[in-house]
Amino acid sequence: MALPPITELSDRARDVFRVVVQSYLDTGAPIGSRTIAHLSGLNLSPASIRNVMQDLEELGLLAAPHTSAGRMPTDIGLRLFVDGMMQALEPSPEEQAAISAQIVQAGPVEHAIAATTAALSGLSACAGMVMVAKRDLVLRQMSFVPLSTRQALAVLVGEDGSVENRVIDLPPGLPPSALVEAGNYMSAMFGGLTLIEARARIERELVAERAELDGAARTLIERGLAIWSEDTDRRPVLIVRGQARLIDDAAAADLERVRELLDDLEGKQDIARLLDNASAGDATRIFIGAETKLFSLSGSSVIAKPFHGTDGRVVGVVGVIGPTRLNYARVVPMVDYTAATLARLMR
């Protein structure tokens, strides 16, 4: 159904519609005409309000989940409210400070991103999500530390100071000297290269037989680079924090919706594709319920905003996922501020 322009609604229809939406966002429940007449101060009789609500239902903006249960906004109605009627509320100084504090954390940038996402989750009462572009890790040093006769710890140090470890299996009968030789060779030959570049170089060296290595060290280097490259290809680029916040009192009464939502979050590839769609352009994107096939069953909304690096290119997308009745006026500016905070982190 096409979204009717807000200007096509009469003043009375807009007033009733706003009350219904605000009540739904506050309670998650439908509201009846008598309650609106009693609480809203619209100076309309319950009969007049029922007529207006019926008109709004025929436009597809409201729906009655049960007979005589009152009305609640549809996904189309929420879209109309968000795009045409919502008044955004800037994050408070305390909320801004809670988010900004994460960018001064020491350690790998991934830790700060995860902490910022957790802070956004806590402040918005939603699950916080961030998707960052895969980084081409530039190598500074690699070494192998023996753990046993069958395993060693591969240690990779990046130019950005990050350190990562992986346990790898050793070929039978590998002498300890091969670990030292392989580590020294890799640090000397691959410093300043990405993993992809390092792998291409060693393949060229081996084909041309210019690599001055014995068979054991050569096998170790090939195995080490293969493991690191494969791990990088599979490296999660999506961080989700605060899934437990999705199970509030209203959601607990609908355990099937919660199960669907948690299943959606487990499908990280689908979430990543959704956030990737949000990376086009600079604007904050809001996906409401059935507008996306991914969340059509769980009745959830996503608010997402891209953030940029020093060269102006999009390096990631940050957002939240929650029920369709989340506080859009408060959460949208919060996501915007978090995106700006992460952009500063990338510089």
Side-chain angles (χ1 to χ4, degrees):
M1 182 178 294
L3 189 67
I6 191 66
T7 54
E8 290 188 3
L9 299 181
S10 66
D11 291 342
R12 175 181 292 187
R14 282 199 295 269
D15 290 341
V16 172
F17 178 64
R18 185 189 300 276
V19 172
V20 174
V21 173
Q22 291 289 7
S23 175
Y24 172 74
L25 296 181
D26 290 340
T27 68
I31 186 172
S33 57
R34 291 186 179 276
T35 304
I36 294 175
H38 179 68
L39 298 177
S40 66
L42 294 181
N43 197 27
L44 294 173
S45 68
S48 296
I49 293 173
R50 277 196 299 274
N51 290 334
V52 173
M53 293 169 75
Q54 180 64 38
D55 292 340
L56 293 170
E57 185 172 359
E58 291 176 358
L59 289 172
L61 301 179
L62 300 183
H66 306 290
T67 303
S68 302
R71 303 297 200 282
M72 58 193 294
T74 62
D75 291 344
I76 293 176
L78 286 174
R79 169 59 62 188
L80 180 68
F81 175 80
V82 168
D83 290 349
M85 302 179 70
M86 183 181 73
Q87 294 181 340
L89 303 173
E90 289 299 318
S92 68
E94 293 76 16
E95 290 169 340
Q96 294 182 26
I99 295 171
S100 297
Q102 309 307 324
I103 68 173
V104 299
Q105 289 193 2
V109 66
E110 289 82 3
H111 291 179
I113 289 175
T116 303
T117 307
L120 175 62
S121 169
L123 293 170
S124 65
C126 300
M129 305 184 296
V130 65
M131 185 181 74
V132 292
K134 291 183 179 180
R135 293 187 303 139
D136 290 330
L137 187 65
V138 178
L139 307 178
R140 177 190 297 173
Q141 181 180 352
M142 286 193 71
S143 60
F144 297 92
V145 180
L147 298 177
S148 68
T149 58
R150 302 178 63 180
Q151 288 186 321
L153 186 68
V155 182
L156 181 149
V157 181
E159 290 286 359
D160 60 357
S162 60
V163 179
E164 298 189 31
N165 305 313
R166 296 291 184 275
V167 175
I168 66 171
D169 295 326
L170 299 177
L174 186 79
S177 60
L179 296 174
V180 177
E181 182 181 2
N184 291 340
Y185 182 88
M186 295 178 77
S187 296
M189 290 294 295
F190 304 149
L193 302 180
T194 65
L195 281 168
I196 294 176
E197 293 169 340
R199 193 170 185 178
R201 173 174 287 187
I202 190 61
E203 288 175 354
R204 290 196 302 269
E205 294 286 325
L206 293 177
V207 169
E209 297 185 351
R210 291 197 299 266
E212 298 178 359
L213 295 166
D214 62 28
R218 176 181 300 185
T219 299
L220 186 61
I221 289 174
E222 290 176 323
R223 181 169 298 186
L225 283 177
I227 289 175
W228 280 107
S229 299
E230 181 181 5
D231 183 71
T232 298
D233 291 340
R234 295 179 179 175
R235 187 188 304 264
V237 297
L238 177 66
I239 300 172
V240 181
R241 292 289 185 270
Q243 290 96 320
R245 297 184 182 278
L246 298 171
I247 310 176
D248 58 11
D249 292 339
D254 186 358
L255 295 180
E256 181 62 20
R257 186 189 72 79
V258 174
R259 186 190 67 79
E260 293 283 359
L261 178 52
L262 295 179
D263 286 346
D264 290 339
L265 288 178
E266 286 299 317
K268 288 192 172 184
Q269 289 183 343
D270 292 332
I271 296 285
R273 280 195 291 269
L274 179 67
L275 294 183
D276 189 52
N277 290 336
S279 68
D282 296 326
T284 301
R285 298 286 302 277
I286 303 174
F287 304 92
I288 299 176
E291 291 180 344
T292 59
K293 182 179 179 181
L294 179 59
F295 298 124
S296 59
L297 295 179
S298 64
S300 307
S301 289
V302 171
I303 301 172
K305 175 71 179 283
F307 55 95
H308 303 77
T310 53
D311 57 1
R313 292 188 302 172
V314 173
V315 294
V317 182
V318 65
V320 299
I321 177 174
T324 55
R325 67 178 189 87
L326 60 82
N327 189 338
Y328 296 92
R330 178 172 174 267
V331 176
V332 169
M334 198 175 291
V335 170
D336 289 346
Y337 184 82
T338 305
T341 300
L342 290 174
R344 293 198 300 272
L345 178 64
M346 296 293 116
R347 292 169 187 161

Short mmCIF file of all heavy atoms in Angstrom, two decimals, residues 95-106 108-132 239-242 245 305 307 317-320 334-346:
data_model
loop_
_atom_site.label_atom_id
_atom_site.label_comp_id
_atom_site.label_asym_id
_atom_site.label_seq_id
_atom_site.Cartn_x
_atom_site.Cartn_y
_atom_site.Cartn_z
N GLU A 95 24.63 11.21 27.97
CA GLU A 95 24.62 10.14 26.97
C GLU A 95 25.76 10.32 25.98
O GLU A 95 26.41 9.34 25.59
CB GLU A 95 23.28 10.14 26.25
CG GLU A 95 22.12 9.68 27.14
CD GLU A 95 20.76 9.93 26.53
OE1 GLU A 95 20.67 10.79 25.61
OE2 GLU A 95 19.79 9.29 26.95
N GLN A 96 26.00 11.54 25.57
CA GLN A 96 27.11 11.80 24.65
C GLN A 96 28.44 11.42 25.30
O GLN A 96 29.32 10.83 24.66
CB GLN A 96 27.12 13.27 24.24
CG GLN A 96 25.91 13.68 23.41
CD GLN A 96 25.98 15.13 22.98
OE1 GLN A 96 27.05 15.71 22.85
NE2 GLN A 96 24.81 15.72 22.74
N ALA A 97 28.60 11.77 26.59
CA ALA A 97 29.86 11.46 27.28
C ALA A 97 30.05 9.95 27.41
O ALA A 97 31.17 9.44 27.26
CB ALA A 97 29.86 12.11 28.66
N ALA A 98 28.96 9.21 27.65
CA ALA A 98 29.05 7.75 27.79
C ALA A 98 29.52 7.10 26.50
O ALA A 98 30.26 6.12 26.51
CB ALA A 98 27.71 7.18 28.23
N ILE A 99 29.07 7.62 25.36
CA ILE A 99 29.47 7.08 24.06
C ILE A 99 30.89 7.52 23.71
O ILE A 99 31.73 6.71 23.30
CB ILE A 99 28.49 7.52 22.97
CG1 ILE A 99 27.10 6.90 23.23
CG2 ILE A 99 28.99 7.11 21.58
CD1 ILE A 99 26.00 7.43 22.34
N SER A 100 31.18 8.80 23.89
CA SER A 100 32.50 9.34 23.50
C SER A 100 33.63 8.75 24.33
O SER A 100 34.77 8.68 23.86
CB SER A 100 32.49 10.86 23.64
OG SER A 100 31.55 11.45 22.78
N ALA A 101 33.33 8.35 25.57
CA ALA A 101 34.38 7.83 26.44
C ALA A 101 35.06 6.60 25.86
O ALA A 101 36.22 6.31 26.19
CB ALA A 101 33.80 7.50 27.81
N GLN A 102 34.38 5.89 24.98
CA GLN A 102 34.94 4.64 24.45
C GLN A 102 36.07 4.87 23.46
O GLN A 102 36.89 3.98 23.25
CB GLN A 102 33.83 3.82 23.80
CG GLN A 102 32.60 3.62 24.66
CD GLN A 102 32.90 3.07 26.04
OE1 GLN A 102 33.80 2.24 26.20
NE2 GLN A 102 32.17 3.54 27.04
N ILE A 103 36.14 6.05 22.83
CA ILE A 103 37.15 6.24 21.79
C ILE A 103 38.54 6.50 22.37
O ILE A 103 39.52 6.49 21.63
CB ILE A 103 36.77 7.39 20.83
CG1 ILE A 103 36.83 8.75 21.54
CG2 ILE A 103 35.41 7.16 20.22
CD1 ILE A 103 36.63 9.91 20.60
N VAL A 104 38.64 6.72 23.68
CA VAL A 104 39.95 6.97 24.29
C VAL A 104 40.54 5.71 24.89
O VAL A 104 41.60 5.74 25.48
CB VAL A 104 39.86 8.07 25.37
CG1 VAL A 104 39.38 9.37 24.75
CG2 VAL A 104 38.92 7.66 26.50
N GLN A 105 39.84 4.59 24.74
CA GLN A 105 40.34 3.35 25.30
C GLN A 105 41.61 2.92 24.59
O GLN A 105 41.74 3.04 23.37
CB GLN A 105 39.30 2.23 25.17
CG GLN A 105 38.10 2.42 26.08
CD GLN A 105 37.27 1.15 26.14
OE1 GLN A 105 37.61 0.14 25.53
NE2 GLN A 105 36.19 1.20 26.89
N ALA A 106 42.55 2.42 25.37
CA ALA A 106 43.77 1.88 24.79
C ALA A 106 43.50 0.49 24.24
O ALA A 106 42.58 -0.19 24.64
CB ALA A 106 44.87 1.83 25.86
N PRO A 108 43.50 -2.42 20.75
CA PRO A 108 43.06 -2.51 19.36
C PRO A 108 41.78 -1.74 19.13
O PRO A 108 40.92 -1.63 20.00
CB PRO A 108 42.85 -4.02 19.16
CG PRO A 108 43.69 -4.67 20.20
CD PRO A 108 43.68 -3.75 21.37
N VAL A 109 41.64 -1.21 17.92
CA VAL A 109 40.47 -0.40 17.60
C VAL A 109 39.19 -1.22 17.69
O VAL A 109 38.13 -0.69 18.02
CB VAL A 109 40.63 0.21 16.19
CG1 VAL A 109 40.62 -0.88 15.12
CG2 VAL A 109 39.55 1.23 15.90
N GLU A 110 39.30 -2.54 17.46
CA GLU A 110 38.11 -3.38 17.55
C GLU A 110 37.52 -3.36 18.95
O GLU A 110 36.30 -3.45 19.12
CB GLU A 110 38.42 -4.82 17.14
CG GLU A 110 38.68 -5.02 15.66
CD GLU A 110 40.11 -4.67 15.26
OE1 GLU A 110 40.92 -4.31 16.15
OE2 GLU A 110 40.41 -4.74 14.06
N HIS A 111 38.38 -3.25 19.97
CA HIS A 111 37.88 -3.22 21.35
C HIS A 111 37.09 -1.95 21.60
O HIS A 111 36.04 -1.98 22.25
CB HIS A 111 39.06 -3.32 22.33
CG HIS A 111 39.73 -4.65 22.31
ND1 HIS A 111 40.83 -4.95 23.11
CD2 HIS A 111 39.47 -5.77 21.60
CE1 HIS A 111 41.21 -6.19 22.88
NE2 HIS A 111 40.41 -6.71 21.96
N ALA A 112 37.58 -0.83 21.09
CA ALA A 112 36.87 0.43 21.26
C ALA A 112 35.54 0.42 20.51
O ALA A 112 34.53 0.93 21.00
CB ALA A 112 37.73 1.60 20.80
N ILE A 113 35.54 -0.18 19.32
CA ILE A 113 34.30 -0.28 18.55
C ILE A 113 33.28 -1.13 19.30
O ILE A 113 32.10 -0.77 19.40
CB ILE A 113 34.58 -0.87 17.16
CG1 ILE A 113 35.35 0.14 16.30
CG2 ILE A 113 33.29 -1.27 16.46
CD1 ILE A 113 35.77 -0.40 14.95
N ALA A 114 33.73 -2.26 19.85
CA ALA A 114 32.82 -3.13 20.60
C ALA A 114 32.28 -2.42 21.83
O ALA A 114 31.09 -2.53 22.16
CB ALA A 114 33.52 -4.43 20.99
N ALA A 115 33.15 -1.67 22.53
CA ALA A 115 32.71 -0.95 23.72
C ALA A 115 31.73 0.16 23.37
O ALA A 115 30.75 0.40 24.09
CB ALA A 115 33.93 -0.37 24.45
N THR A 116 31.98 0.85 22.26
CA THR A 116 31.06 1.90 21.82
C THR A 116 29.70 1.31 21.48
O THR A 116 28.65 1.88 21.80
CB THR A 116 31.63 2.64 20.60
OG1 THR A 116 32.92 3.16 20.92
CG2 THR A 116 30.72 3.78 20.17
N THR A 117 29.72 0.15 20.82
CA THR A 117 28.47 -0.52 20.48
C THR A 117 27.72 -0.94 21.73
O THR A 117 26.49 -0.82 21.80
CB THR A 117 28.76 -1.75 19.61
OG1 THR A 117 29.57 -1.36 18.50
CG2 THR A 117 27.48 -2.37 19.09
N ALA A 118 28.44 -1.43 22.73
CA ALA A 118 27.80 -1.82 23.99
C ALA A 118 27.18 -0.61 24.68
O ALA A 118 26.10 -0.69 25.26
CB ALA A 118 28.81 -2.51 24.90
N ALA A 119 27.89 0.53 24.63
CA ALA A 119 27.35 1.75 25.24
C ALA A 119 26.07 2.19 24.54
O ALA A 119 25.09 2.58 25.19
CB ALA A 119 28.40 2.86 25.19
N LEU A 120 26.05 2.12 23.21
CA LEU A 120 24.85 2.47 22.46
C LEU A 120 23.70 1.54 22.82
O LEU A 120 22.56 1.98 22.98
CB LEU A 120 25.14 2.40 20.96
CG LEU A 120 23.95 2.62 20.02
CD1 LEU A 120 23.38 4.01 20.21
CD2 LEU A 120 24.38 2.42 18.57
N SER A 121 24.00 0.26 22.99
CA SER A 121 22.97 -0.69 23.36
C SER A 121 22.36 -0.34 24.72
O SER A 121 21.14 -0.33 24.88
CB SER A 121 23.56 -2.11 23.41
OG SER A 121 22.66 -3.02 24.01
N GLY A 122 23.22 -0.02 25.68
CA GLY A 122 22.73 0.29 27.00
C GLY A 122 21.88 1.55 27.05
O GLY A 122 20.86 1.61 27.74
N LEU A 123 22.27 2.56 26.28
CA LEU A 123 21.55 3.83 26.30
C LEU A 123 20.23 3.76 25.52
O LEU A 123 19.27 4.44 25.86
CB LEU A 123 22.43 4.93 25.73
CG LEU A 123 23.66 5.29 26.57
CD1 LEU A 123 24.58 6.22 25.79
CD2 LEU A 123 23.24 5.94 27.88
N SER A 124 20.21 2.95 24.47
CA SER A 124 19.01 2.89 23.62
C SER A 124 18.04 1.80 24.05
O SER A 124 16.92 1.76 23.56
CB SER A 124 19.42 2.65 22.17
OG SER A 124 20.02 1.37 22.02
N ALA A 125 18.47 0.91 24.96
CA ALA A 125 17.67 -0.25 25.38
C ALA A 125 17.37 -1.15 24.19
O ALA A 125 16.34 -1.82 24.14
CB ALA A 125 16.39 0.19 26.06
N CYS A 126 18.27 -1.17 23.20
CA CYS A 126 18.16 -2.05 22.03
C CYS A 126 19.44 -2.86 21.93
O CYS A 126 20.36 -2.71 22.74
CB CYS A 126 17.97 -1.22 20.75
SG CYS A 126 16.51 -0.17 20.73
N ALA A 127 19.51 -3.71 20.95
CA ALA A 127 20.78 -4.36 20.63
C ALA A 127 21.57 -3.42 19.73
O ALA A 127 21.05 -2.92 18.74
CB ALA A 127 20.55 -5.70 19.93
N GLY A 128 22.82 -3.16 20.10
CA GLY A 128 23.67 -2.30 19.28
C GLY A 128 24.44 -3.14 18.27
O GLY A 128 24.87 -4.25 18.58
N MET A 129 24.61 -2.60 17.06
CA MET A 129 25.32 -3.33 16.01
C MET A 129 26.28 -2.39 15.31
O MET A 129 25.99 -1.20 15.13
CB MET A 129 24.34 -3.89 14.97
CG MET A 129 23.24 -4.77 15.53
SD MET A 129 22.20 -5.47 14.21
CE MET A 129 21.49 -3.97 13.54
N VAL A 130 27.42 -2.91 14.92
CA VAL A 130 28.33 -2.15 14.07
C VAL A 130 28.97 -3.11 13.08
O VAL A 130 29.30 -4.25 13.42
CB VAL A 130 29.42 -1.42 14.90
CG1 VAL A 130 30.33 -2.39 15.60
CG2 VAL A 130 30.23 -0.47 14.01
N MET A 131 29.06 -2.69 11.85
CA MET A 131 29.72 -3.47 10.81
C MET A 131 30.87 -2.63 10.26
O MET A 131 30.65 -1.48 9.86
CB MET A 131 28.76 -3.83 9.68
CG MET A 131 29.39 -4.75 8.63
SD MET A 131 28.24 -5.14 7.27
CE MET A 131 28.26 -3.57 6.39
N VAL A 132 32.07 -3.18 10.33
CA VAL A 132 33.23 -2.46 9.83
C VAL A 132 33.79 -3.20 8.63
O VAL A 132 33.70 -4.43 8.52
CB VAL A 132 34.32 -2.31 10.92
CG1 VAL A 132 33.84 -1.39 12.02
CG2 VAL A 132 34.69 -3.66 11.51
N ILE A 239 29.60 -6.79 14.73
CA ILE A 239 29.60 -6.88 16.19
C ILE A 239 28.20 -6.56 16.68
O ILE A 239 27.64 -5.52 16.33
CB ILE A 239 30.62 -5.91 16.81
CG1 ILE A 239 32.04 -6.22 16.32
CG2 ILE A 239 30.56 -5.97 18.34
CD1 ILE A 239 33.07 -5.18 16.73
N VAL A 240 27.64 -7.44 17.48
CA VAL A 240 26.30 -7.22 18.06
C VAL A 240 26.44 -7.29 19.57
O VAL A 240 27.01 -8.23 20.12
CB VAL A 240 25.29 -8.27 17.57
CG1 VAL A 240 23.91 -7.99 18.17
CG2 VAL A 240 25.22 -8.28 16.05
N ARG A 241 25.92 -6.28 20.24
CA ARG A 241 25.96 -6.24 21.70
C ARG A 241 24.56 -5.95 22.24
O ARG A 241 23.83 -5.14 21.68
CB ARG A 241 26.92 -5.15 22.19
CG ARG A 241 28.39 -5.42 21.88
CD ARG A 241 28.91 -6.56 22.76
NE ARG A 241 30.34 -6.77 22.57
CZ ARG A 241 30.86 -7.59 21.68
NH1 ARG A 241 30.05 -8.26 20.87
NH2 ARG A 241 32.17 -7.74 21.58
N GLY A 242 24.22 -6.59 23.37
CA GLY A 242 22.99 -6.26 24.06
C GLY A 242 21.76 -7.01 23.59
O GLY A 242 20.65 -6.49 23.68
N ARG A 245 18.70 -7.16 25.83
CA ARG A 245 17.82 -6.00 25.97
C ARG A 245 16.59 -6.10 25.05
O ARG A 245 15.65 -5.32 25.20
CB ARG A 245 18.59 -4.71 25.66
CG ARG A 245 19.73 -4.48 26.64
CD ARG A 245 20.41 -3.15 26.39
NE ARG A 245 21.53 -2.98 27.30
CZ ARG A 245 21.42 -2.55 28.55
NH1 ARG A 245 20.22 -2.24 29.02
NH2 ARG A 245 22.47 -2.42 29.33
N LYS A 305 23.39 4.03 10.52
CA LYS A 305 24.04 5.24 9.97
C LYS A 305 25.47 4.89 9.59
O LYS A 305 26.21 4.31 10.38
CB LYS A 305 24.04 6.35 11.03
CG LYS A 305 24.78 7.63 10.64
CD LYS A 305 24.02 8.41 9.57
CE LYS A 305 24.74 9.71 9.19
NZ LYS A 305 24.55 10.77 10.20
N PHE A 307 29.49 5.55 8.83
CA PHE A 307 30.51 6.50 9.29
C PHE A 307 31.73 6.39 8.39
O PHE A 307 31.94 5.37 7.73
CB PHE A 307 30.87 6.29 10.77
CG PHE A 307 31.31 4.90 11.13
CD1 PHE A 307 32.65 4.55 11.17
CD2 PHE A 307 30.38 3.92 11.47
CE1 PHE A 307 33.06 3.27 11.54
CE2 PHE A 307 30.77 2.64 11.83
CZ PHE A 307 32.11 2.32 11.86
N VAL A 317 29.21 0.82 9.36
CA VAL A 317 27.83 1.23 9.63
C VAL A 317 27.52 0.85 11.06
O VAL A 317 27.83 -0.26 11.50
CB VAL A 317 26.84 0.52 8.69
CG1 VAL A 317 25.41 0.99 8.96
CG2 VAL A 317 27.21 0.77 7.23
N VAL A 318 26.91 1.78 11.80
CA VAL A 318 26.52 1.50 13.18
C VAL A 318 25.02 1.64 13.29
O VAL A 318 24.39 2.42 12.56
CB VAL A 318 27.22 2.47 14.16
CG1 VAL A 318 26.79 3.91 13.94
CG2 VAL A 318 26.97 2.06 15.60
N GLY A 319 24.41 0.86 14.16
CA GLY A 319 22.97 0.95 14.29
C GLY A 319 22.46 0.17 15.48
O GLY A 319 23.23 -0.38 16.29
N VAL A 320 21.15 0.13 15.61
CA VAL A 320 20.49 -0.63 16.65
C VAL A 320 19.35 -1.43 16.04
O VAL A 320 18.83 -1.08 14.98
CB VAL A 320 19.91 0.27 17.77
CG1 VAL A 320 21.02 1.06 18.46
CG2 VAL A 320 18.85 1.21 17.23
N MET A 334 20.72 9.38 18.66
CA MET A 334 21.75 8.65 19.39
C MET A 334 22.63 7.85 18.43
O MET A 334 23.86 7.79 18.58
CB MET A 334 21.10 7.74 20.43
CG MET A 334 22.02 7.27 21.52
SD MET A 334 21.09 6.33 22.76
CE MET A 334 20.11 7.65 23.48
N VAL A 335 22.00 7.22 17.44
CA VAL A 335 22.76 6.49 16.42
C VAL A 335 23.61 7.47 15.61
O VAL A 335 24.77 7.19 15.29
CB VAL A 335 21.81 5.69 15.51
CG1 VAL A 335 22.56 5.12 14.31
CG2 VAL A 335 21.14 4.57 16.30
N ASP A 336 23.05 8.62 15.27
CA ASP A 336 23.80 9.64 14.53
C ASP A 336 25.05 10.05 15.31
O ASP A 336 26.15 10.17 14.74
CB ASP A 336 22.94 10.88 14.28
CG ASP A 336 21.84 10.62 13.26
OD1 ASP A 336 21.90 9.59 12.57
OD2 ASP A 336 20.91 11.45 13.17
N TYR A 337 24.89 10.27 16.61
CA TYR A 337 26.03 10.71 17.43
C TYR A 337 27.07 9.60 17.53
O TYR A 337 28.28 9.87 17.48
CB TYR A 337 25.55 11.11 18.82
CG TYR A 337 26.66 11.67 19.68
CD1 TYR A 337 27.03 13.00 19.55
CD2 TYR A 337 27.34 10.87 20.59
CE1 TYR A 337 28.08 13.52 20.31
CE2 TYR A 337 28.37 11.38 21.35
CZ TYR A 337 28.74 12.70 21.20
OH TYR A 337 29.78 13.22 21.95
N THR A 338 26.62 8.37 17.65
CA THR A 338 27.57 7.25 17.73
C THR A 338 28.36 7.12 16.43
O THR A 338 29.56 6.84 16.45
CB THR A 338 26.83 5.94 18.04
OG1 THR A 338 26.06 6.10 19.22
CG2 THR A 338 27.81 4.80 18.22
N ALA A 339 27.69 7.32 15.29
CA ALA A 339 28.39 7.28 14.01
C ALA A 339 29.47 8.36 13.95
O ALA A 339 30.59 8.11 13.47
CB ALA A 339 27.40 7.46 12.86
N ALA A 340 29.16 9.56 14.43
CA ALA A 340 30.15 10.63 14.45
C ALA A 340 31.31 10.28 15.38
O ALA A 340 32.48 10.57 15.09
CB ALA A 340 29.50 11.94 14.89
N THR A 341 31.01 9.62 16.50
CA THR A 341 32.04 9.21 17.43
C THR A 341 32.98 8.17 16.81
O THR A 341 34.21 8.27 16.93
CB THR A 341 31.41 8.61 18.72
OG1 THR A 341 30.58 9.62 19.33
CG2 THR A 341 32.46 8.18 19.71
N LEU A 342 32.41 7.20 16.13
CA LEU A 342 33.24 6.18 15.48
C LEU A 342 34.05 6.77 14.34
O LEU A 342 35.17 6.33 14.07
CB LEU A 342 32.35 5.04 14.97
CG LEU A 342 31.72 4.17 16.08
CD1 LEU A 342 30.76 3.16 15.46
CD2 LEU A 342 32.79 3.46 16.87
N ALA A 343 33.50 7.79 13.66
CA ALA A 343 34.27 8.46 12.60
C ALA A 343 35.52 9.11 13.19
O ALA A 343 36.61 9.06 12.57
CB ALA A 343 33.40 9.49 11.90
N ARG A 344 35.38 9.71 14.38
CA ARG A 344 36.57 10.30 15.04
C ARG A 344 37.57 9.21 15.41
O ARG A 344 38.79 9.41 15.33
CB ARG A 344 36.15 11.06 16.29
CG ARG A 344 35.32 12.30 16.01
CD ARG A 344 35.30 13.24 17.20
NE ARG A 344 34.75 12.63 18.39
CZ ARG A 344 33.45 12.62 18.70
NH1 ARG A 344 32.58 13.18 17.85
NH2 ARG A 344 33.02 12.07 19.81
N LEU A 345 37.07 8.05 15.80
CA LEU A 345 37.95 6.94 16.15
C LEU A 345 38.77 6.47 14.95
O LEU A 345 39.92 6.04 15.10
CB LEU A 345 37.11 5.79 16.70
CG LEU A 345 37.84 4.49 17.08
CD1 LEU A 345 38.80 4.75 18.22
CD2 LEU A 345 36.83 3.42 17.45
N MET A 346 38.19 6.57 13.77
CA MET A 346 38.87 6.09 12.57
C MET A 346 39.94 7.05 12.06
O MET A 346 40.68 6.74 11.14
CB MET A 346 37.84 5.87 11.45
CG MET A 346 36.81 4.78 11.74
SD MET A 346 37.54 3.13 11.81
CE MET A 346 37.22 2.71 13.52
#
